[in-house]
Amino acid sequence: QKEVEQDPGPLSVPEGAIVSLNCTYSNSAFQYFMWYRQYSRKGPELLMYTYSSGNKEDGRFTAQVDKSSKYISLFIRDSQPSDSATYLCAMTGGGSNYKLTFGKGTLLTVNP
Amino acid sequence: SAVISQKPSRDICQRGTSLTIQCQVDSQVTMMFWYRQQPGQSLTLIATANQGSEATYESGFVIDKFPISRPNLTFSTLTVSNMSPEDSSIYLCSGQGSGTGFYNEQFFGPGTRLTVL
């Protein structure tokens, strides 16, 4: 079993839809959970991060972490064509355990 | 946030040759990393570039194949040696610990797209 599993999609939705992206993980040492967005031919950029369990909201984006189920989600409300990108989840234990473990990424296309 | 640039942005190389990729950060960072990104795969960490000392390589990656330098806190190079078509991939540099914001955030360069014929 891989440490982080993420459905690669692709996922295609109409503009205005609610998008749900998910990852599962197996390493209970992970404490920081991140979502990166990667546009075509660009490097990944951090979209949101969450420490431990709970929700975090930033505009149209909401990140959720359920450590008991080892499951994280990213919700995008009122999706826009500019949201079309690959979304990668990433996790780390933090501190001296600084390395990030990434999911494969989900390719999202929002159609106008 | 730190801004990272990479050179070259892309290259097509013949098998058996070597390519050196440069990574420049616009501010000092504590840590620098090199990743490989292949289609349909996760970002795979090649190594952590340590300033003034040998890089720390992940399982499956060796110094003879991927020599790395980091002479200071803002610059690093990755060489892909004795290339084969299996080395065709996107190579990404990242930095962490810029002193501002979320410490565990890694800032990525735009990547170097390598094709080996």
Side-chain angles (χ1 to χ4, degrees):
Chain A
Q1 180 187 9
K2 291 187 180 296
E3 274 197 299
V4 178
E5 300 272 8
Q6 182 176 10
D7 186 343
L11 186 61
S12 181
V13 302
E15 183 175 353
I18 296 174
V19 176
S20 173
L21 305 168
N22 312 292
C23 289
T24 59
Y25 64 96
S26 58
N27 189 343
S28 58
F30 289 144
Q31 295 287 341
Y32 293 90
F33 303 90
M34 289 158 261
W35 287 95
Y36 279 80
R37 178 174 60 193
Q38 185 175 22
Y39 291 113
S40 180
R41 299 183 182 274
K42 302 286 187 183
E45 58 179 348
L46 183 66
L47 190 60
M48 295 183 70
Y49 75 92
T50 309
Y51 173 70
S52 194
S53 282
N55 294 359
K56 187 172 185 178
E57 189 172 318
D58 184 1
R60 296 185 294 110
F61 299 88
T62 300
Q64 287 186 350
V65 175
D66 181 350
K67 290 191 72 179
S68 62
S69 301
K70 295 189 175 66
Y71 186 89
I72 72 169
S73 300
L74 177 70
F75 297 96
I76 306 174
R77 292 183 299 280
D78 188 24
S79 56
Q80 302 295 309
S82 58
D83 295 328
S84 298
T86 296
Y87 290 81
L88 302 108
C89 62
M91 310 174 189
T92 179
S96 59
N97 184 10
Y98 52 81
K99 293 181 224 178
L100 296 185
T101 302
F102 284 87
K104 287 188 177 182
T106 300
L107 176 61
L108 171 67
T109 301
V110 181
N111 301 298
Chain B
S1 62
V3 176
I4 299 183
S5 58
Q6 285 183 235
K7 288 195 293 188
S9 59
R10 63 192 307 147
D11 209 339
I12 300 173
C13 301
Q14 297 296 319
R15 71 170 64 215
T17 63
S18 298
L19 176 71
T20 295
I21 303 169
Q22 298 181 4
C23 176
Q24 179 74 55
V25 192
D26 70 344
S27 59
Q28 293 183 350
V29 290
T30 305
M31 313 195 76
M32 293 182 75
F33 304 94
W34 287 97
Y35 289 86
R36 184 170 70 185
Q37 186 175 32
Q38 295 178 313
Q41 301 298 318
S42 305
L43 267 73
T44 302
L45 181 62
I46 297 171
T48 303
N50 300 310
Q51 190 216 348
S53 65
E54 194 171 288
T56 305
Y57 290 84
E58 298 300 304
S59 176
F61 298 96
V62 295
I63 187 171
D64 289 346
K65 176 67 176 177
F66 297 101
I68 288 170
S69 78
R70 189 181 174 192
N72 56 49
L73 292 175
T74 63
F75 185 78
S76 178
T77 66
L78 167 75
T79 299
V80 186
S81 303
N82 188 25
M83 288 184 286
S84 67
E86 292 69 39
D87 295 318
S88 298
S89 187
I90 298 172
Y91 292 85
L92 291 153
C93 167
S94 76
Q96 178 177 333
S98 64
T100 61
F102 174 45
Y103 178 79
N104 288 292
E105 177 178 4
Q106 288 190 20
F107 303 92
F108 285 85
T112 296
R113 187 176 298 264
L114 172 62
T115 302
V116 183
L117 303 177

